[in-house]
Structure formats: structure tokens, C-alpha cells
């Protein structure tokens, strides 16, 4: 069975759970091959969503600059106020399909398991960026992506998450001197190597304020 | 229909995210139990395995691939799964209250299927170079060692499989083992011996991992040194039984939970299965079987019906 068939099937099965409309912004760079790859992947999601998911393509450099986008292609979850909540510098494919769809569903307004505790602690948390460095063969990455994105959604962007495929963006990997995944970096200061739980990340966000 | 509802008392809360936990939840749902799964890592240790070739009915797949199938099965029954860790359990007699950092849940019964985690060597340099050349997951970190020299410390079947995976891309793979001969399954042992990139160093212990910013060599107990770029540690695992011990579940000297043939522990309403339990032979398939039995026993316990085993 071709692997793409298996992944398409997962997308089809999981996207059924999306019941409210969501729009994502896709920032495209100059590499047409990369642009086409990400377009074709997102197309599968859109087609499986019964038009609940829409993709707004952005190639205007001024808008890209406004969002400080230096790596392309980038998928952004932007709230109704125009605020960035989540950034994907990774293709939502393979093991990353399920966390991506779970993020879409939560972003659409479905219940968020972590919301209550994040909101209770929101005053203690300073504006933060959590970067999750991943590869497509990393077993622990999907779990971390899922809760970090949910933290970002629950905080309405006070916590922002950035999901980075370091095999695609080797310059980022080199700048952080990474030879292991997952790596979860909070505000470019504290980093966790390997599996880290939602409680540990939240405690760091609270303690680090 | 199962759903996540923090107000209700679940028939069964399954702790864990590996095949044992998911199998238990699937059977519980099919017994019409209200079931919730709370796991720290979906997939468990098997998700870090490159190739699984001993799960009946599936000739060959990756550990992640196998767990994708488990997830599909679980989702088809609408079993709620949450990523969290239970910190404490209170026993009220006819129900339990489970506390995590984020929420609390009530359950009539519990299945502890928290699995195990990689054992550390406990030698100088191991913590210092974690993520900088020291790894516990070849499938996660193997791609960083393309055309480099790595070693796998350990002689188990898992160690052999890690070495075989790493040999696909690395220049050279050493297996370093403290005993005379590695203990891999014969089929994997043969593959190791036939792989020209793998060299076994027997009867040797690593006593230190050395480097500057990243690992560059290891030191053996005979004083010799070996230049390596990566050190993959695969020396077995430790059962995740702390939560069980805290509520009085009995464990053996290894920390494994004592269970009987019904996957029952010494505490009424608490069941255990898989790597965290005291079976001598631990495989995904044996854990799955214990998990299924735990679900059956939980059903028996909750519904108070007679079941013939």
C-alpha cells in the first residue's frame, strides 16, 4: 500500500471532525518546488474538509515582513484580530498529520483541554514563543506539537508556537546546534531535549515570567 | 458513545499511551464501558522502533505506523485520549479520583499501562551531552548521523535493531556490550553479523563519554578510547510504576507491578498490564494481551457479571 494512500486516508478520516470554518495563511517564497509541495499537501486537507478549511495564499513581501517571516513556505494560524498564534515551518504530513488536524479543530473553537489552567495562569505568563524542533521520523514530536499548539490557542497568542522541521531548515538547526529531536525551546532561553510534558512546559512559562 | 467529560465518573481510566493501553481501551469500549485514556506519550516506546516484524498479521511496519493503526482503531470507537500525566490517585472505596497538573478525573476502575522508560547508563558525560551526541532514540536522531561514526551501547534485541537502523545511513556502527555475545533474536542477530558496517565490541563497558560541545569519543573500562560522533544508549528500561507505588500497589524488586492472570493488582479496581507489569517476556503483543485481559476484568468488576475465562 503506497504510503501517500495511508496518509491521505488518515487526513480524510480525521478531517471529518472539523465542524467549523478555519482559514490558514500560507506564505510562499521564491522556491516554486517547495510552494507546489505545500500547496498539494494542503489541498488534501481542504478537499477533506468539505470547504470548512480555506487557505489564503500570501506572497506579498510587505505582509510577510509584517509577520517577520524569514523562512518559507510558512503556514500561519492567525486569529480574527490578525494576531499570529501558530507558525508551521514544516509540512503537515506523515506523523505530523494528526497534531495538525487536532490543532485545526481546536483553533476552530472546539474544547481545549488545557484552556482552563492556561487562563488561570495567564497573568503570570509573559508573552512567549515556544519553538518545537522536529523531524518527520521523530516519535515524540507529535505529542509535544499537540499540547504546545493548544497552549498557544488557549492563550490567544500570548504564547505563540513555532513548529520547525530542522531537516528542511538546516540553518535553524545549525544556529541552535541541534543533533537530537524533539527540542522544545522557550523564549530562546530554556530548552528541553526529548519528551517533555505539558506540565513541565507550563511551569517553565510561569516560572520564567 | 465515549467522550471527554470531566464531570462524569468513568468506568475505566487507562493510564498510558502505548499499545497495551490502547488495546485495553479498545476492548473496554467494545464492552460498552465509559473509558478515558490519559497518556504522556502516545505510542509508547514501540513508536521509537524502526521496524516491527513480529506483530502477528502485520508482516512489517514501523513502530509509528503500528501505532497509527492503533490510533485509527481507537478513534473509530470515539475513545477520548488526553496528553497528561496523573500525579496522584485517591481511593474512595467505590471510585478513584485521579489528579493531574491540569485536571482531575473520577473512575470506577483504573488500568495502569504506563510502560517503561529508557534506562540511563549513569556515567560521566551522559547528561552533559544529552542531545549533543547522546541519544536514547535512533529513529528520532539517526538522521543527524549520516556518514558519521556512532555506537550503540547494549546487547538486547532492541540494541541490535537500533544498530541496524543506524547502519542504513551512518558510516560505521559499533555495538558495545558488556557480555560475551549479544542477546538479540536470532533473526536480528544474523542481520547484525551480516551487516558490513556493524562491528561488535564484546566484554567491554563504557565508563565515560567525552567531548567539547558535542561527543567526540568514549572511554572503555580497559582504558582504551574510541572516536564516535554519536552514542545511542539501549540498555533496557525502567517500569513507570511510581504512581502505582504511591497508592499502595505492590511491585517487585525491579519496580514491576505484580499482576495475576486477570491483570489484577493487589488493590481492588486497579489493574495493570504491559511493560509496567511483572511478566518476564515483554513484547507489544504480550502487553496487548494483558491490556485486553485487564479490560475484561474491569468489565467484570464494574458490571459485576460472571465471566468465564
Amino acid at each position: 500500500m503506497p504510503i501517500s494512500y495511508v496518509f491521505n486516508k488518515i487526513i480524510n478520516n480525521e478531517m471529518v471532525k472539523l465542524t467549523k470554518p478555519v482559514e490558514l495563511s500560507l506564505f510562499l517564497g521564491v522556491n516554486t518546488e517547495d510552494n507546489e509541495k505545500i500547496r498539494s499537501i494542503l489541498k488534501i486537507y481542504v478537499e477533506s474538509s468539505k470547504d470548512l478549511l480555506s487557505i489564503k495564499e500570501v506572497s506579498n513581501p510587505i505582509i510577510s515582513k509584517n509577520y517577520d517571516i524569514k523562512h518559507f513556505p510558512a503556514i500561519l494560524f492567525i486569529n480574527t484580530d490578525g494576531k499570529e498564534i501558530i507558525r508551521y515551518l514544516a509540512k503537515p504530513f506523515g506523523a505530523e498529520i494528526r497534531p495538525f488536524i487536532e490543532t485545526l479543530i481546536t483553533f476552530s473553537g472546539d474544547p481545549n483541554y488545557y484552556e482552563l489552567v492556561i487562563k488561570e495562569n495567564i497573568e503570570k505568563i509573559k508573552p512567549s514563543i515556544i519553538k518545537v524542533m522536529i523531524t518527520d521520523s521523530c516519535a515524540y514530536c507529535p505529542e509535544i506539537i499537540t499540547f504546545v499548539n493548544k497552549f498557544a490557542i488557549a492563550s490567544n497568542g500570548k504564547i505563540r508556537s513555532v513548529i520547525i522541521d530542522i531537516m528542511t531548515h538546516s540553518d535553524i538547526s545549525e544556529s541552535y546546534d541541534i543533533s537530537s529531536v524533539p527540542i522544545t525551546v522557550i523564549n530562546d532561553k530554556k530548552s528541553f531535549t526529548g519528551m517533555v510534558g505539558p506540565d513541565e512546559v507550563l511551569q517553565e512559562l510561569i516560572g520564567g515570567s | 458513545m465515549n467522550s471527554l467529560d470531566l464531570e462524569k465518573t468513568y468506568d475505566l481510566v487507562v493510564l498510558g499511551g502505548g499499545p497495551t493501553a490502547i488495546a485495553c481501551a479498545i476492548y473496554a469500549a467494545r464492552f460498552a464501558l465509559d473509558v478515558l485514556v490519559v497518556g504522556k506519550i502516545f505510542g509508547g516506546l514501540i513508536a521509537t522502533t524502526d521496524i516491527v516484524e513480529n506483530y502477528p498479521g502485520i508482516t512489517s511496519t514501523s513502530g509509528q505506523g503500528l501505532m497509527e493503526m492503533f490510533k485509527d482503531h481507537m478513534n473509530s470507537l470515539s475513545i477520548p485520549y488526553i496528553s497528561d500525566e496523573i500525579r496522584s490517585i485517591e481511593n474512595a472505596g467505590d471510585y478513584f479520583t485521579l489528579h493531574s497538573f491540569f485536571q482531575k478525573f473520577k473512575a470506577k476502575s483504573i488500568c495502569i499501562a504506563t510502560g517503561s522508560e529508557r534506562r540511563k547508563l549513569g556515567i560521566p558525560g551522559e547528561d552533559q551531552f544529552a542531545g549533543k551526541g547522546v541519544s536514547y532514540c535512533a529513529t528520532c536522531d539517526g538522521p543527524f548521523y549520516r556518514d558519521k561514526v556512532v555506537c550503540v551501547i547494549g546487547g538486547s534485541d532492541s540494541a541490535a535493531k537500533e544498530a541496524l537502523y543506524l547502519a542504513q545511513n551512518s558510516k560505521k556502527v559499533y555495538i558495545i556490550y558488556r557480555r560475551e555475545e549479544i542477546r538479540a533474536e536470532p533473526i536480528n542477530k544474523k542481520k547484525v553479523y551480516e551487516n558490513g558496517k556493524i562491528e561488535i565490541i564484546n566484554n567491554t563497558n563504557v565508563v565515560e563519554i567525552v567531548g567539547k560541545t558535542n561527543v567526540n569519543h568514549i572511554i572503555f573500562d580497559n582504558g582504551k578510547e574510541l572516536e564516535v560522533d554519536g552514542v545511542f544508549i539501549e540498555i533496557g528500561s525502567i517500569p513507570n510504576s511510581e504512581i502505582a507505588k504511591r497508592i499502595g500497589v505492590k511491585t517487585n524488586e525491579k519496580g514491576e507491578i505484580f499482576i495475576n492472570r486477570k491483570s489484577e493488582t493487589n488493590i481492588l479496581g486497579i489493574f495493570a498490564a504491559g511493560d509496567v507489569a511483572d511478566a518476564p517476556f515483554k513484547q507489544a503483543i504480550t502487553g496487548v494481551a494483558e491490556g485486553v485481559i485487564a479490560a475484561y476484568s474491569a468489565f467484570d468488576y464494574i458490571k459485576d457479571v460472571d465471566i468465564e475465562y
Side-chain angles (χ1 to χ4, degrees), chain B residues 198-214:
Chain B
I198 300 175
E199 181 179 334
I200 301 171
I201 300 174
N202 285 327
N203 300 313
T204 304
N205 288 296
V206 177
V207 294
E208 190 173 353
I209 300 166
V210 186
K212 288 182 181 170
T213 53
N214 290 71

Side-chain angles (χ1 to χ4, degrees), chain B residues 233-292:
Chain B
I233 298 169
E234 184 55 70
I235 54 164
S237 53
I238 304 166
N240 289 319
S241 57
E242 280 310 309
I243 187 70
K245 288 179 194 166
R246 262 181 253 148
I247 195 173
V249 171
K250 285 185 181 168
T251 59
N252 65 17
E253 71 286 354
K254 294 178 193 167
E256 298 165 332
I257 297 170
F258 286 119
I259 58 169
N260 62 18
R261 293 196 70 179
K262 294 182 181 179
S263 291
E264 293 168 329
T265 68
N266 60 303
I267 296 181
L268 199 63
I270 298 186
F271 307 87
D275 284 3
V276 75
D278 64 341
F281 186 51
K282 296 179 194 296
Q283 298 284 296
I285 189 72
T286 59
V288 162
E290 288 170 7
V292 166

Side-chain angles (χ1 to χ4, degrees), chain B residues 136-147:
Chain B
Y136 302 86
C137 176
T139 51
C140 302
D141 302 334
F144 295 105
Y145 297 92
R146 182 175 289 274
D147 298 324

Side-chain angles (χ1 to χ4, degrees), chain B:
Chain B
M1 170 70 79
N2 279 288
S3 62
L4 179 59
D5 179 352
L6 300 172
E7 300 302 316
K8 76 176 161 190
T9 301
Y10 283 91
D11 290 327
L12 174 66
V13 170
V14 183
L15 308 186
T20 301
I22 308 308
C24 178
I26 287 169
Y27 265 72
R30 291 175 59 84
F31 290 137
L33 298 183
D34 244 334
V35 59
L36 168 70
V37 185
V38 183
K40 189 175 178 184
I41 304 170
F42 185 84
L45 275 186
I46 197 166
T48 67
T49 304
D50 175 37
I51 296 177
V52 178
E53 293 179 325
N54 56 4
Y55 200 90
I58 301 165
T59 311
S60 182
T61 186
S62 65
Q64 271 190 333
L66 181 67
M67 291 316 297
E68 286 289 337
M69 288 184 248
F70 272 66
K71 187 127 194 176
D72 266 344
H73 200 159
M74 187 174 83
N75 288 348
S76 74
L77 295 162
S78 301
I79 298 166
Y81 171 87
I82 54 173
S83 177
D84 203 348
E85 188 172 19
I86 298 301
R87 300 263 182 104
S88 63
I89 300 171
E90 291 171 58
N91 187 349
D94 53 350
Y95 70 92
F96 300 93
T97 307
L98 300 90
H99 298 265
S100 83
F101 187 85
F102 292 91
Q103 300 287 355
K104 66 178 179 184
F105 315 94
K106 282 184 182 171
K108 293 175 192 165
S109 68
I110 297 169
C111 177
I112 300 172
T114 42
S116 58
E117 60 185 40
R118 302 269 193 237
R119 185 185 296 279
K120 285 187 162 189
L121 263 175
I123 60 172
E126 184 178 13
D127 287 340
Q128 184 188 346
F129 295 108
K132 303 282 180 193
V134 172
S135 173
Y136 302 86
C137 176
T139 51
C140 302
D141 302 334
F144 295 105
Y145 297 92
R146 182 175 289 274
D147 298 324
K148 293 186 175 178
V149 178
V150 298
C151 69
V152 175
I153 300 176
S156 64
D157 191 57
S158 297
K161 285 198 281 191
E162 295 235 323
L164 288 165
Y165 174 72
L166 291 164
Q168 292 173 26
N169 291 312
S170 298
K171 187 162 72 181
K172 176 86 183 175
V173 181
Y174 293 97
I175 294 177
I176 299 159
Y177 187 43
R178 62 198 165 99
R179 291 189 181 151
E180 184 65 37
E181 192 171 2
I182 61 168
R183 298 173 292 113
E185 284 179 18
I187 191 166
N188 289 325
K189 193 189 277 189
K190 185 169 180 281
K191 285 180 189 172
V192 164
Y193 286 143
E194 288 173 354
N195 191 307
K197 283 188 185 175
I198 300 175
E199 181 179 334
I200 301 171
I201 300 174
N202 285 327
N203 300 313
T204 304
N205 288 296
V206 177
V207 294
E208 190 173 353
I209 300 166
V210 186
K212 288 182 181 170
T213 53
N214 290 71
V215 168
N216 59 36
H217 69 277
I218 51 177
I219 302 174
F220 296 134
D221 52 359
N222 57 16
K224 289 182 181 172
E225 296 183 0
L226 180 70
E227 284 188 16
V228 291
D229 302 298
V231 179
F232 290 82
I233 298 169
E234 184 55 70
I235 54 164
S237 53
I238 304 166
N240 289 319
S241 57
E242 280 310 309
I243 187 70
K245 288 179 194 166
R246 262 181 253 148
I247 195 173
V249 171
K250 285 185 181 168
T251 59
N252 65 17
E253 71 286 354
K254 294 178 193 167
E256 298 165 332
I257 297 170
F258 286 119
I259 58 169
N260 62 18
R261 293 196 70 179
K262 294 182 181 179
S263 291
E264 293 168 329
T265 68
N266 60 303
I267 296 181
L268 199 63
I270 298 186
F271 307 87
D275 284 3
V276 75
D278 64 341
F281 186 51
K282 296 179 194 296
Q283 298 284 296
I285 189 72
T286 59
V288 162
E290 288 170 7
V292 166
I293 292 166
Y296 208 40
S297 299
F299 175 69
D300 186 13
Y301 169 72
I302 291 162
K303 303 296 182 189
D304 198 22
V305 293
D306 289 328
I307 297 171
E308 287 185 13
Y309 286 90

Side-chain angles (χ1 to χ4, degrees), chain A residues 10 14 17 98 113-114 117 137-140 143 166-167 177 179-181 193 195 198-200 202-203, chain B residues 40-42 47 64 68 72 75 81-84 87 101-103 105 131-132 139-141 143-144 214:
Chain A
I10 294 172
E14 296 293 304
K17 295 174 191 163
R98 290 188 203 276
Y113 175 73
Y114 306 104
V117 175
S137 62
C138 162
Y140 302 142
E143 198 85 17
I166 57 171
M167 286 301 170
D177 191 23
S179 57
S180 181
V181 283
T193 301
M195 185 58 202
D199 49 341
E200 294 165 275
L202 181 59
Q203 280 173 334
Chain B
K40 189 175 178 184
I41 304 170
F42 185 84
Q64 271 190 333
E68 286 289 337
D72 266 344
N75 288 348
Y81 171 87
I82 54 173
S83 177
D84 203 348
R87 300 263 182 104
F101 187 85
F102 292 91
Q103 300 287 355
F105 315 94
K132 303 282 180 193
T139 51
C140 302
D141 302 334
F144 295 105
N214 290 71

Side-chain angles (χ1 to χ4, degrees), chain A residues 13-77:
Chain A
N13 288 346
E14 296 293 304
M15 283 300 282
V16 173
K17 295 174 191 163
L18 182 70
T19 57
K20 301 179 196 96
V22 175
E23 183 186 81
L24 299 180
S25 297
L26 173 63
F27 288 75
L28 299 168
V30 293
N31 187 322
T32 52
E33 194 181 336
D34 282 351
N35 291 345
E36 277 316 304
K37 269 186 200 163
I38 197 93
R39 271 191 187 117
S40 64
I41 291 170
L42 288 174
K43 192 179 168 200
I44 305 169
Y45 286 92
V46 171
E47 287 174 351
S48 305
S49 77
K50 294 176 183 162
D51 293 329
L52 286 171
L53 174 65
S54 58
I55 308 293
K56 185 172 85 179
E57 289 197 7
V58 184
S59 46
N60 183 333
I62 297 168
I63 302 174
S64 298
K65 196 176 174 187
N66 286 345
Y67 282 101
D68 194 26
I69 297 183
K70 292 168 184 155
H71 293 83
F72 298 92
I75 304 167
L76 265 63
F77 291 66

